[in-house]
Amino acid sequence: MSEQDQASGLRKWASLQRQQQQNEGAVDVAAAEHVPEHSPALLTPTVAAVEEPTTLAPPKPKIPLIVVGLPGSGTPQLNKVKARLGQWSELGRSWAGEPDDWDIRIVTADTSDLAELRAQYNRWALWISSDADTFAAMFRTLRQLHERGGPRRLLALHEPHLPRQGLLNNLRESAHYYLNMELLVLAR
């Protein structure tokens, strides 16, 4: 479309706007019919679009999830957690919702305000890696949580290929037996 055709279309649209305002919302059909066929449909407003303001729904509050066991913090770590929640959501776990529904907060087990965080938030998770030293590191994290007044129940967040037998069951059973903590390991 040439600039002249576009300018002509805009002028006609503006004229139509003025006529609609003068006629208190009545549409001038004759003016609307004179708009060239090659004008973009976006340039011809509807009465509803002019008269009714668009109301946006308030944003849905995010669900806080405190995650321990992640080395470091930042976007890459948040993306790991969101990816896992997304995988559970795709498997039909309705509780997982959409990954962006969560307000994920990464905390270390040695933080000084752990007991206050526990009182404030009730959804906690332990990120479990799949490297060779994971059991010792994760049990140490659980022990720190236990000693510092942390949560007694955590969701096990882990890579999807990590089998339940072995590391996950050993961590779950050790947390229960030695620390009186519940580590929730989900089946696939």
Side-chain angles (χ1 to χ4, degrees):
M1 171 186 302
S2 71
E3 288 180 26
Q4 189 173 18
D5 288 341
Q6 187 175 16
S8 173
L10 287 172
R11 280 192 300 276
K12 288 182 181 184
W13 177 79
S15 174
L16 180 62
Q17 286 285 71
R18 282 191 295 273
Q19 288 175 357
Q20 284 179 343
Q21 288 174 354
Q22 290 171 353
N23 295 332
E24 298 177 347
V27 176
D28 185 356
V29 177
E33 289 175 356
H34 286 59
V35 177
E37 290 181 34
H38 57 274
S39 301
L42 296 175
L43 296 179
T44 55
T46 63
V47 174
V50 173
E51 291 180 359
E52 296 178 21
T54 304
T55 57
L56 298 176
K60 183 179 172 182
K62 293 188 174 214
I63 305 164
L65 176 66
I66 310 302
V67 180
V68 293
L70 276 166
S73 62
T75 303
Q77 303 300 7
L78 290 174
N79 288 340
K80 278 183 174 181
V81 175
K82 284 185 176 189
R84 188 60 180 136
L85 290 169
Q87 290 164 344
W88 276 330
S89 180
E90 289 172 5
L91 289 173
R93 305 282 199 296
S94 60
W95 63 266
E98 293 298 318
D100 288 332
D101 292 346
W102 296 89
D103 177 18
I104 300 165
R105 300 175 187 195
I106 299 172
V107 173
T108 59
D110 60 358
T111 188
S112 61
D113 59 348
L114 195 62
E116 289 132 24
L117 289 172
R118 176 184 169 220
Q120 189 174 3
Y121 301 106
N122 59 358
R123 289 180 180 91
W124 289 71
L126 175 68
W127 181 263
I128 303 170
S129 302
S130 59
D131 59 36
D133 299 324
T134 296
F135 180 83
M138 293 301 102
F139 189 77
R140 185 172 33 258
T141 298
L142 289 169
R143 192 177 69 235
Q144 285 178 329
L145 290 173
H146 176 75
E147 292 169 354
R148 294 176 180 266
R152 297 284 183 230
R153 185 174 192 209
L154 296 104
L155 172 66
L157 288 173
H158 55 85
E159 290 94 5
H161 68 275
L162 202 57
R164 189 176 189 136
Q165 287 77 25
L167 175 64
L168 293 176
N169 272 345
N170 288 343
L171 266 174
R172 185 181 55 78
E173 290 172 9
S174 297
H176 177 72
Y177 184 80
Y178 293 107
L179 305 172
N180 194 28
M181 296 175 78
E182 183 181 356
L183 186 60
L184 181 60
V185 179
L186 299 178
R188 286 189 190 163

